[in-house]
Amino acid sequence: RYAVPADSEIAGPVRLRLALASSEIDTHVVTRLDRVDRDGSRHCLSMGNQRAAARHVMPEVSTKAEIAIDDRILTPLVPNEPVDLIVNMTPAAAVLHAGDTLELAVASRPALLAVSVKDGFLSYENYALPQYIARNTLFHGPRTMLEVTTLEAA
C-alpha cells in the first residue's frame, strides 16, 4: 500500500520488478494495481501476468513503454532459489488525490485478482494459465519495485 501524499497523475507504463522464489520449476505471477479513493471505492488501474520460466529480456527490442520478454526461451527455476522477474502491466492513466491509496496485489492465478468488464477493466477470468501447485516467496528489498510514471497535477 502506498498512501498518496499530494494530488498527482499517473500516465504511462506500469511495471513490477519482482524477486521471487518458487518450490517448483515454473510458476505464474498475476498482478493488479488499484486506486482506493478516500471513500473506499476501489478502481483497477493496471493488470499484468508473467510466466516465471519465460523471463529472458530482449533489450534490443525493449522500449520505455515495455520491456520485451522472449516467451520462446524457457529457463526452469531452481526450486527455492530467487530469480528476478519483470511483469509488464497495462499502461495506466489516473488522477490521484491526497488521501487515495495505491494497492498492489500479487497472486499465482488470475481468479484471485479477477475484475469484470462491468468494473471497467478487461477481465482475466477466462485467461488460460497452467496451474502450478507451488509455494511462491516474494522478496521485499532493492530487487522488488513498482514503476509508474507520475506527473504533478496542474
Side-chain angles (χ1 to χ4, degrees), residues 46-112:
S46 182
M47 293 188 77
N49 73 80
Q50 182 62 47
R51 183 176 178 188
R55 61 186 182 278
H56 178 77
V57 174
M58 299 185 302
E60 67 279 4
V61 293
S62 293
T63 67
K64 289 181 182 180
E66 182 173 10
I67 294 180
I69 306 293
D70 191 341
D71 61 2
R72 299 167 298 178
I73 298 174
L74 300 179
T75 307
L77 303 175
V78 175
N80 303 311
E81 288 191 18
V83 296
D84 294 320
L85 295 182
I86 296 171
V87 182
N88 289 302
M89 299 173 67
T90 54
V95 174
L96 306 176
H97 299 287
D100 289 351
T101 303
L102 291 178
E103 290 187 5
L104 176 69
V106 180
S108 59
R109 52 187 196 276
L112 297 174

Short mmCIF file of all heavy atoms in Angstrom, two decimals, residues 46-112:
data_model
loop_
_atom_site.label_atom_id
_atom_site.label_comp_id
_atom_site.label_asym_id
_atom_site.label_seq_id
_atom_site.Cartn_x
_atom_site.Cartn_y
_atom_site.Cartn_z
N SER A 46 -4.42 -1.17 -13.39
CA SER A 46 -3.49 -1.90 -14.25
C SER A 46 -3.44 -3.36 -13.82
O SER A 46 -3.59 -3.67 -12.64
CB SER A 46 -2.09 -1.27 -14.12
OG SER A 46 -1.16 -1.91 -14.95
N MET A 47 -3.21 -4.23 -14.80
CA MET A 47 -3.03 -5.66 -14.52
C MET A 47 -1.91 -6.20 -15.38
O MET A 47 -1.57 -5.62 -16.42
CB MET A 47 -4.31 -6.45 -14.77
CG MET A 47 -5.43 -6.10 -13.81
SD MET A 47 -6.86 -7.19 -13.96
CE MET A 47 -6.25 -8.65 -13.10
N GLY A 48 -1.33 -7.31 -14.97
CA GLY A 48 -0.28 -7.95 -15.74
C GLY A 48 -0.08 -9.38 -15.33
O GLY A 48 -0.62 -9.82 -14.31
N ASN A 49 0.65 -10.13 -16.13
CA ASN A 49 0.98 -11.51 -15.76
C ASN A 49 2.28 -11.89 -16.44
O ASN A 49 2.64 -11.36 -17.48
CB ASN A 49 -0.16 -12.48 -16.11
CG ASN A 49 -0.28 -12.74 -17.58
OD1 ASN A 49 0.47 -13.53 -18.13
ND2 ASN A 49 -1.21 -12.07 -18.24
N GLN A 50 2.99 -12.81 -15.81
CA GLN A 50 4.26 -13.27 -16.34
C GLN A 50 4.52 -14.70 -15.90
O GLN A 50 4.37 -15.04 -14.74
CB GLN A 50 5.40 -12.37 -15.84
CG GLN A 50 6.77 -12.75 -16.37
CD GLN A 50 6.84 -12.63 -17.89
OE1 GLN A 50 6.41 -11.64 -18.46
NE2 GLN A 50 7.38 -13.65 -18.53
N ARG A 51 4.92 -15.52 -16.84
CA ARG A 51 5.37 -16.88 -16.55
C ARG A 51 6.82 -16.80 -16.10
O ARG A 51 7.66 -16.19 -16.77
CB ARG A 51 5.24 -17.75 -17.81
CG ARG A 51 5.62 -19.18 -17.58
CD ARG A 51 5.38 -20.01 -18.82
NE ARG A 51 5.82 -21.37 -18.56
CZ ARG A 51 5.88 -22.29 -19.49
NH1 ARG A 51 5.54 -22.01 -20.73
NH2 ARG A 51 6.29 -23.51 -19.18
N ALA A 52 7.13 -17.39 -14.96
CA ALA A 52 8.47 -17.24 -14.37
C ALA A 52 9.57 -17.87 -15.22
O ALA A 52 10.67 -17.34 -15.29
CB ALA A 52 8.49 -17.81 -12.96
N ALA A 53 9.30 -19.00 -15.85
CA ALA A 53 10.33 -19.65 -16.66
C ALA A 53 10.61 -18.88 -17.95
O ALA A 53 11.67 -19.03 -18.54
CB ALA A 53 9.94 -21.09 -17.00
N ALA A 54 9.68 -18.04 -18.37
CA ALA A 54 9.85 -17.22 -19.58
C ALA A 54 10.22 -15.81 -19.15
O ALA A 54 9.38 -14.92 -19.10
CB ALA A 54 8.58 -17.22 -20.41
N ARG A 55 11.48 -15.60 -18.80
CA ARG A 55 11.90 -14.32 -18.25
C ARG A 55 13.08 -13.70 -18.99
O ARG A 55 13.69 -12.75 -18.50
CB ARG A 55 12.20 -14.47 -16.76
CG ARG A 55 13.31 -15.43 -16.43
CD ARG A 55 13.46 -15.65 -14.91
NE ARG A 55 14.54 -16.53 -14.60
CZ ARG A 55 14.49 -17.85 -14.62
NH1 ARG A 55 13.36 -18.45 -14.95
NH2 ARG A 55 15.54 -18.59 -14.33
N HIS A 56 13.41 -14.23 -20.16
CA HIS A 56 14.55 -13.73 -20.93
C HIS A 56 14.21 -12.36 -21.52
O HIS A 56 13.32 -12.22 -22.35
CB HIS A 56 14.92 -14.72 -22.03
CG HIS A 56 16.05 -14.25 -22.89
ND1 HIS A 56 17.36 -14.30 -22.46
CD2 HIS A 56 16.06 -13.70 -24.12
CE1 HIS A 56 18.13 -13.81 -23.41
NE2 HIS A 56 17.37 -13.43 -24.43
N VAL A 57 14.95 -11.34 -21.10
CA VAL A 57 14.73 -9.97 -21.57
C VAL A 57 15.42 -9.77 -22.92
O VAL A 57 16.55 -10.22 -23.12
CB VAL A 57 15.26 -8.95 -20.54
CG1 VAL A 57 15.18 -7.53 -21.08
CG2 VAL A 57 14.50 -9.07 -19.24
N MET A 58 14.72 -9.09 -23.83
CA MET A 58 15.28 -8.76 -25.15
C MET A 58 15.53 -7.25 -25.20
O MET A 58 14.68 -6.49 -25.66
CB MET A 58 14.31 -9.19 -26.25
CG MET A 58 14.03 -10.69 -26.26
SD MET A 58 13.00 -11.23 -27.65
CE MET A 58 11.53 -10.27 -27.46
N PRO A 59 16.71 -6.81 -24.74
CA PRO A 59 16.96 -5.36 -24.69
C PRO A 59 16.94 -4.69 -26.06
O PRO A 59 16.59 -3.51 -26.16
CB PRO A 59 18.34 -5.26 -24.03
CG PRO A 59 18.93 -6.61 -24.09
CD PRO A 59 17.82 -7.59 -24.26
N GLU A 60 17.27 -5.43 -27.11
CA GLU A 60 17.33 -4.83 -28.44
C GLU A 60 15.97 -4.41 -28.98
O GLU A 60 15.89 -3.59 -29.90
CB GLU A 60 18.03 -5.78 -29.42
CG GLU A 60 17.27 -7.06 -29.73
CD GLU A 60 17.40 -8.18 -28.69
OE1 GLU A 60 18.03 -7.98 -27.64
OE2 GLU A 60 16.84 -9.26 -28.94
N VAL A 61 14.88 -4.93 -28.43
CA VAL A 61 13.55 -4.53 -28.88
C VAL A 61 12.70 -3.95 -27.75
O VAL A 61 11.54 -3.63 -27.95
CB VAL A 61 12.80 -5.71 -29.56
CG1 VAL A 61 13.49 -6.09 -30.86
CG2 VAL A 61 12.68 -6.90 -28.64
N SER A 62 13.28 -3.80 -26.58
CA SER A 62 12.56 -3.20 -25.45
C SER A 62 12.46 -1.69 -25.65
O SER A 62 13.31 -1.08 -26.31
CB SER A 62 13.29 -3.50 -24.14
OG SER A 62 13.24 -4.88 -23.86
N THR A 63 11.41 -1.11 -25.09
CA THR A 63 11.18 0.33 -25.16
C THR A 63 10.89 0.86 -23.76
O THR A 63 10.76 0.09 -22.81
CB THR A 63 10.01 0.67 -26.08
OG1 THR A 63 8.80 0.17 -25.49
CG2 THR A 63 10.19 0.06 -27.48
N LYS A 64 10.72 2.18 -23.66
CA LYS A 64 10.31 2.75 -22.38
C LYS A 64 8.92 2.25 -21.98
O LYS A 64 8.60 2.15 -20.80
CB LYS A 64 10.29 4.28 -22.45
CG LYS A 64 11.66 4.88 -22.54
CD LYS A 64 11.56 6.39 -22.58
CE LYS A 64 12.93 7.03 -22.71
NZ LYS A 64 12.87 8.48 -22.76
N ALA A 65 8.09 1.97 -22.96
CA ALA A 65 6.73 1.52 -22.69
C ALA A 65 6.66 0.07 -22.25
O ALA A 65 5.79 -0.30 -21.47
CB ALA A 65 5.86 1.72 -23.92
N GLU A 66 7.57 -0.77 -22.76
CA GLU A 66 7.50 -2.20 -22.42
C GLU A 66 8.88 -2.83 -22.55
O GLU A 66 9.57 -2.63 -23.54
CB GLU A 66 6.52 -2.93 -23.33
CG GLU A 66 6.37 -4.38 -22.99
CD GLU A 66 5.27 -5.07 -23.79
OE1 GLU A 66 4.73 -4.47 -24.75
OE2 GLU A 66 4.94 -6.21 -23.45
N ILE A 67 9.24 -3.61 -21.54
CA ILE A 67 10.45 -4.41 -21.62
C ILE A 67 10.05 -5.72 -22.29
O ILE A 67 9.18 -6.44 -21.79
CB ILE A 67 11.07 -4.63 -20.23
CG1 ILE A 67 11.55 -3.29 -19.68
CG2 ILE A 67 12.21 -5.64 -20.31
CD1 ILE A 67 12.16 -3.34 -18.32
N ALA A 68 10.65 -6.00 -23.43
CA ALA A 68 10.28 -7.19 -24.20
C ALA A 68 10.83 -8.45 -23.53
O ALA A 68 12.00 -8.52 -23.17
CB ALA A 68 10.81 -7.08 -25.62
N ILE A 69 9.95 -9.43 -23.39
CA ILE A 69 10.30 -10.73 -22.81
C ILE A 69 10.10 -11.78 -23.89
O ILE A 69 9.05 -11.85 -24.51
CB ILE A 69 9.40 -11.07 -21.60
CG1 ILE A 69 9.41 -9.95 -20.55
CG2 ILE A 69 9.77 -12.41 -20.99
CD1 ILE A 69 10.71 -9.74 -19.84
N ASP A 70 11.11 -12.61 -24.12
CA ASP A 70 11.02 -13.67 -25.14
C ASP A 70 10.42 -14.92 -24.49
O ASP A 70 11.09 -15.64 -23.77
CB ASP A 70 12.40 -13.98 -25.70
CG ASP A 70 12.35 -14.86 -26.92
OD1 ASP A 70 11.31 -15.54 -27.14
OD2 ASP A 70 13.34 -14.89 -27.67
N ASP A 71 9.13 -15.14 -24.76
CA ASP A 71 8.47 -16.30 -24.15
C ASP A 71 8.78 -17.61 -24.86
O ASP A 71 8.30 -18.67 -24.46
CB ASP A 71 6.96 -16.08 -24.04
CG ASP A 71 6.29 -15.90 -25.39
OD1 ASP A 71 6.98 -15.97 -26.43
OD2 ASP A 71 5.07 -15.68 -25.40
N ARG A 72 9.62 -17.56 -25.89
CA ARG A 72 10.06 -18.80 -26.55
C ARG A 72 11.23 -19.44 -25.82
O ARG A 72 11.52 -20.62 -26.01
CB ARG A 72 10.45 -18.51 -28.00
CG ARG A 72 9.31 -17.94 -28.84
CD ARG A 72 9.82 -17.39 -30.14
NE ARG A 72 10.75 -16.29 -29.84
CZ ARG A 72 11.41 -15.61 -30.75
NH1 ARG A 72 11.26 -15.88 -32.01
NH2 ARG A 72 12.22 -14.63 -30.40
N ILE A 73 11.92 -18.66 -25.01
CA ILE A 73 13.07 -19.18 -24.25
C ILE A 73 12.60 -19.48 -22.83
O ILE A 73 12.21 -18.56 -22.10
CB ILE A 73 14.23 -18.16 -24.23
CG1 ILE A 73 14.72 -17.91 -25.65
CG2 ILE A 73 15.36 -18.66 -23.33
CD1 ILE A 73 15.76 -16.82 -25.75
N LEU A 74 12.63 -20.74 -22.47
CA LEU A 74 12.20 -21.15 -21.13
C LEU A 74 13.42 -21.56 -20.31
O LEU A 74 14.19 -22.42 -20.73
CB LEU A 74 11.20 -22.30 -21.21
CG LEU A 74 9.92 -21.99 -21.98
CD1 LEU A 74 9.01 -23.22 -22.03
CD2 LEU A 74 9.19 -20.81 -21.37
N THR A 75 13.57 -20.95 -19.16
CA THR A 75 14.66 -21.27 -18.24
C THR A 75 14.02 -21.73 -16.94
O THR A 75 13.48 -20.91 -16.19
CB THR A 75 15.55 -20.04 -17.98
OG1 THR A 75 15.98 -19.53 -19.24
CG2 THR A 75 16.75 -20.41 -17.13
N PRO A 76 14.02 -23.05 -16.69
CA PRO A 76 13.37 -23.54 -15.47
C PRO A 76 13.96 -22.89 -14.22
O PRO A 76 15.15 -22.58 -14.15
CB PRO A 76 13.66 -25.04 -15.48
CG PRO A 76 13.98 -25.36 -16.90
CD PRO A 76 14.62 -24.13 -17.47
N LEU A 77 13.10 -22.68 -13.25
CA LEU A 77 13.55 -22.18 -11.95
C LEU A 77 14.27 -23.30 -11.21
O LEU A 77 13.98 -24.47 -11.43
CB LEU A 77 12.35 -21.74 -11.11
CG LEU A 77 11.43 -20.67 -11.72
CD1 LEU A 77 10.24 -20.45 -10.81
CD2 LEU A 77 12.16 -19.40 -11.97
N VAL A 78 15.18 -22.94 -10.35
CA VAL A 78 15.76 -23.89 -9.42
C VAL A 78 14.93 -23.74 -8.15
O VAL A 78 14.84 -22.63 -7.60
CB VAL A 78 17.25 -23.57 -9.14
CG1 VAL A 78 17.81 -24.50 -8.07
CG2 VAL A 78 18.05 -23.67 -10.43
N PRO A 79 14.26 -24.81 -7.72
CA PRO A 79 13.35 -24.67 -6.58
C PRO A 79 14.00 -23.94 -5.40
O PRO A 79 15.12 -24.22 -5.00
CB PRO A 79 13.00 -26.12 -6.24
CG PRO A 79 13.06 -26.81 -7.57
CD PRO A 79 14.24 -26.17 -8.27
N ASN A 80 13.26 -22.96 -4.90
CA ASN A 80 13.58 -22.16 -3.72
C ASN A 80 14.77 -21.22 -3.90
O ASN A 80 15.26 -20.66 -2.91
CB ASN A 80 13.76 -23.05 -2.50
CG ASN A 80 12.51 -23.87 -2.25
OD1 ASN A 80 11.41 -23.33 -2.24
ND2 ASN A 80 12.67 -25.17 -2.11
N GLU A 81 15.25 -21.01 -5.14
CA GLU A 81 16.30 -20.02 -5.40
C GLU A 81 15.67 -18.80 -6.07
O GLU A 81 14.96 -18.94 -7.07
CB GLU A 81 17.40 -20.60 -6.29
CG GLU A 81 18.27 -21.60 -5.57
CD GLU A 81 19.51 -21.97 -6.37
OE1 GLU A 81 19.88 -21.22 -7.31
OE2 GLU A 81 20.11 -23.00 -6.04
N PRO A 82 15.93 -17.60 -5.56
CA PRO A 82 15.31 -16.40 -6.12
C PRO A 82 15.76 -16.09 -7.54
O PRO A 82 16.91 -16.33 -7.91
CB PRO A 82 15.77 -15.28 -5.17
CG PRO A 82 16.31 -15.95 -3.98
CD PRO A 82 16.74 -17.32 -4.39
N VAL A 83 14.81 -15.57 -8.32
CA VAL A 83 15.08 -15.04 -9.65
C VAL A 83 14.44 -13.66 -9.73
O VAL A 83 13.57 -13.31 -8.93
CB VAL A 83 14.51 -15.94 -10.78
CG1 VAL A 83 15.18 -17.30 -10.78
CG2 VAL A 83 13.01 -16.08 -10.67
N ASP A 84 14.88 -12.88 -10.70
CA ASP A 84 14.30 -11.57 -10.93
C ASP A 84 13.35 -11.64 -12.11
O ASP A 84 13.73 -12.09 -13.19
CB ASP A 84 15.39 -10.54 -11.20
CG ASP A 84 16.28 -10.31 -9.99
OD1 ASP A 84 15.73 -10.26 -8.87
OD2 ASP A 84 17.50 -10.18 -10.15
N LEU A 85 12.11 -11.20 -11.88
CA LEU A 85 11.10 -11.17 -12.94
C LEU A 85 10.74 -9.72 -13.25
O LEU A 85 10.79 -8.86 -12.37
CB LEU A 85 9.81 -11.88 -12.50
CG LEU A 85 9.86 -13.36 -12.22
CD1 LEU A 85 8.46 -13.84 -11.85
CD2 LEU A 85 10.37 -14.11 -13.42
N ILE A 86 10.34 -9.51 -14.48
CA ILE A 86 9.75 -8.23 -14.88
C ILE A 86 8.34 -8.54 -15.34
O ILE A 86 8.13 -9.36 -16.22
CB ILE A 86 10.56 -7.57 -16.01
CG1 ILE A 86 11.95 -7.22 -15.52
CG2 ILE A 86 9.82 -6.34 -16.54
CD1 ILE A 86 12.89 -6.76 -16.60
N VAL A 87 7.38 -7.89 -14.70
CA VAL A 87 5.98 -8.06 -15.08
C VAL A 87 5.52 -6.75 -15.72
O VAL A 87 5.37 -5.73 -15.04
CB VAL A 87 5.08 -8.40 -13.86
CG1 VAL A 87 3.65 -8.62 -14.31
CG2 VAL A 87 5.62 -9.63 -13.12
N ASN A 88 5.36 -6.77 -17.04
CA ASN A 88 4.80 -5.62 -17.74
C ASN A 88 3.31 -5.60 -17.46
O ASN A 88 2.61 -6.58 -17.70
CB ASN A 88 5.04 -5.74 -19.25
CG ASN A 88 6.48 -5.54 -19.63
OD1 ASN A 88 7.06 -4.51 -19.34
ND2 ASN A 88 7.07 -6.54 -20.27
N MET A 89 2.84 -4.49 -16.94
CA MET A 89 1.42 -4.35 -16.65
C MET A 89 0.81 -3.40 -17.69
O MET A 89 1.53 -2.72 -18.42
CB MET A 89 1.24 -3.83 -15.23
CG MET A 89 1.83 -4.79 -14.18
SD MET A 89 1.82 -4.17 -12.49
CE MET A 89 0.06 -4.10 -12.15
N THR A 90 -0.50 -3.37 -17.77
CA THR A 90 -1.16 -2.49 -18.73
C THR A 90 -0.87 -1.04 -18.37
O THR A 90 -0.77 -0.69 -17.20
CB THR A 90 -2.68 -2.73 -18.74
OG1 THR A 90 -3.19 -2.60 -17.42
CG2 THR A 90 -3.02 -4.10 -19.29
N PRO A 91 -0.69 -0.18 -19.38
CA PRO A 91 -0.48 1.24 -19.08
C PRO A 91 -1.66 1.81 -18.30
O PRO A 91 -2.79 1.32 -18.43
CB PRO A 91 -0.39 1.89 -20.47
CG PRO A 91 -0.02 0.77 -21.39
CD PRO A 91 -0.66 -0.46 -20.81
N ALA A 92 -1.37 2.80 -17.49
CA ALA A 92 -2.43 3.39 -16.66
C ALA A 92 -2.45 4.89 -16.81
O ALA A 92 -1.42 5.52 -17.06
CB ALA A 92 -2.20 3.02 -15.20
N ALA A 93 -3.63 5.46 -16.66
CA ALA A 93 -3.81 6.90 -16.61
C ALA A 93 -4.86 7.19 -15.55
O ALA A 93 -5.97 6.65 -15.62
CB ALA A 93 -4.25 7.45 -17.96
N ALA A 94 -4.47 7.96 -14.54
CA ALA A 94 -5.42 8.24 -13.46
C ALA A 94 -5.02 9.52 -12.75
O ALA A 94 -3.84 9.85 -12.64
CB ALA A 94 -5.45 7.08 -12.46
N VAL A 95 -6.02 10.21 -12.25
CA VAL A 95 -5.80 11.35 -11.37
C VAL A 95 -5.85 10.81 -9.95
O VAL A 95 -6.79 10.11 -9.56
CB VAL A 95 -6.87 12.44 -11.57
CG1 VAL A 95 -6.72 13.55 -10.56
CG2 VAL A 95 -6.80 12.97 -13.00
N LEU A 96 -4.81 11.08 -9.18
CA LEU A 96 -4.73 10.65 -7.79
C LEU A 96 -4.90 11.87 -6.89
O LEU A 96 -4.39 12.95 -7.19
CB LEU A 96 -3.38 9.99 -7.50
CG LEU A 96 -2.97 8.85 -8.42
CD1 LEU A 96 -1.56 8.37 -8.07
CD2 LEU A 96 -3.96 7.70 -8.31
N HIS A 97 -5.60 11.67 -5.79
CA HIS A 97 -5.82 12.76 -4.83
C HIS A 97 -5.15 12.41 -3.51
O HIS A 97 -5.07 11.22 -3.14
CB HIS A 97 -7.31 13.00 -4.63
CG HIS A 97 -8.02 13.41 -5.88
ND1 HIS A 97 -7.86 14.66 -6.44
CD2 HIS A 97 -8.85 12.72 -6.69
CE1 HIS A 97 -8.59 14.72 -7.54
NE2 HIS A 97 -9.20 13.56 -7.72
N ALA A 98 -4.68 13.43 -2.82
CA ALA A 98 -4.12 13.20 -1.49
C ALA A 98 -5.16 12.44 -0.66
O ALA A 98 -6.33 12.78 -0.67
CB ALA A 98 -3.78 14.53 -0.82
N GLY A 99 -4.73 11.40 -0.01
CA GLY A 99 -5.64 10.56 0.76
C GLY A 99 -6.05 9.29 0.04
O GLY A 99 -6.55 8.36 0.66
N ASP A 100 -5.85 9.23 -1.29
CA ASP A 100 -6.07 7.98 -2.01
C ASP A 100 -4.96 7.00 -1.63
O ASP A 100 -3.92 7.40 -1.10
CB ASP A 100 -6.02 8.19 -3.53
CG ASP A 100 -7.22 8.93 -4.08
OD1 ASP A 100 -8.18 9.16 -3.34
OD2 ASP A 100 -7.16 9.30 -5.28
N THR A 101 -5.18 5.75 -1.92
CA THR A 101 -4.17 4.71 -1.67
C THR A 101 -3.99 3.90 -2.93
O THR A 101 -4.96 3.57 -3.62
CB THR A 101 -4.63 3.77 -0.53
OG1 THR A 101 -4.87 4.55 0.64
CG2 THR A 101 -3.58 2.73 -0.22
N LEU A 102 -2.73 3.59 -3.27
CA LEU A 102 -2.44 2.64 -4.33
C LEU A 102 -2.17 1.30 -3.67
O LEU A 102 -1.39 1.22 -2.72
CB LEU A 102 -1.23 3.08 -5.15
CG LEU A 102 -1.39 4.32 -6.01
CD1 LEU A 102 -0.08 4.64 -6.73
CD2 LEU A 102 -2.52 4.15 -7.01
N GLU A 103 -2.83 0.26 -4.15
CA GLU A 103 -2.64 -1.08 -3.61
C GLU A 103 -2.21 -2.03 -4.72
O GLU A 103 -2.87 -2.11 -5.75
CB GLU A 103 -3.91 -1.60 -2.95
CG GLU A 103 -4.27 -0.89 -1.68
CD GLU A 103 -5.44 -1.52 -0.95
OE1 GLU A 103 -5.93 -2.60 -1.39
OE2 GLU A 103 -5.87 -0.94 0.06
N LEU A 104 -1.12 -2.73 -4.49
CA LEU A 104 -0.61 -3.73 -5.43
C LEU A 104 -0.92 -5.10 -4.87
O LEU A 104 -0.61 -5.40 -3.72
CB LEU A 104 0.90 -3.57 -5.62
CG LEU A 104 1.56 -4.62 -6.51
CD1 LEU A 104 1.12 -4.44 -7.96
CD2 LEU A 104 3.08 -4.53 -6.39
N ALA A 105 -1.53 -5.94 -5.70
CA ALA A 105 -1.80 -7.33 -5.32
C ALA A 105 -1.04 -8.24 -6.26
O ALA A 105 -0.94 -7.98 -7.46
CB ALA A 105 -3.30 -7.63 -5.39
N VAL A 106 -0.49 -9.32 -5.72
CA VAL A 106 0.27 -10.30 -6.49
C VAL A 106 -0.31 -11.67 -6.16
O VAL A 106 -0.49 -12.00 -4.98
CB VAL A 106 1.77 -10.25 -6.15
CG1 VAL A 106 2.55 -11.28 -6.96
CG2 VAL A 106 2.34 -8.86 -6.38
N ALA A 107 -0.57 -12.47 -7.19
CA ALA A 107 -1.15 -13.80 -6.99
C ALA A 107 -0.53 -14.76 -8.00
O ALA A 107 0.22 -14.37 -8.88
CB ALA A 107 -2.67 -13.76 -7.16
N SER A 108 -0.89 -16.02 -7.86
CA SER A 108 -0.35 -17.04 -8.76
C SER A 108 -1.36 -17.51 -9.80
O SER A 108 -1.02 -18.31 -10.65
CB SER A 108 0.13 -18.24 -7.95
OG SER A 108 -0.95 -18.78 -7.19
N ARG A 109 -2.61 -17.02 -9.71
CA ARG A 109 -3.59 -17.36 -10.74
C ARG A 109 -4.61 -16.23 -10.86
O ARG A 109 -4.91 -15.54 -9.89
CB ARG A 109 -4.26 -18.69 -10.48
CG ARG A 109 -4.83 -18.89 -9.16
CD ARG A 109 -5.33 -20.34 -8.97
NE ARG A 109 -6.20 -20.38 -7.84
CZ ARG A 109 -5.80 -20.50 -6.59
NH1 ARG A 109 -4.52 -20.62 -6.32
NH2 ARG A 109 -6.66 -20.50 -5.61
N PRO A 110 -5.13 -16.02 -12.07
CA PRO A 110 -5.99 -14.87 -12.35
C PRO A 110 -7.25 -14.80 -11.50
O PRO A 110 -7.70 -13.72 -11.16
CB PRO A 110 -6.35 -15.05 -13.83
CG PRO A 110 -5.30 -15.91 -14.39
CD PRO A 110 -4.83 -16.79 -13.27
N ALA A 111 -7.82 -15.94 -11.15
CA ALA A 111 -9.08 -15.93 -10.41
C ALA A 111 -8.96 -15.19 -9.07
O ALA A 111 -9.93 -14.65 -8.56
CB ALA A 111 -9.56 -17.36 -10.17
N LEU A 112 -7.75 -15.13 -8.52
CA LEU A 112 -7.57 -14.46 -7.23
C LEU A 112 -7.63 -12.94 -7.35
O LEU A 112 -7.84 -12.25 -6.35
CB LEU A 112 -6.23 -14.88 -6.61
CG LEU A 112 -6.12 -16.36 -6.27
CD1 LEU A 112 -4.71 -16.69 -5.79
CD2 LEU A 112 -7.15 -16.75 -5.22
#
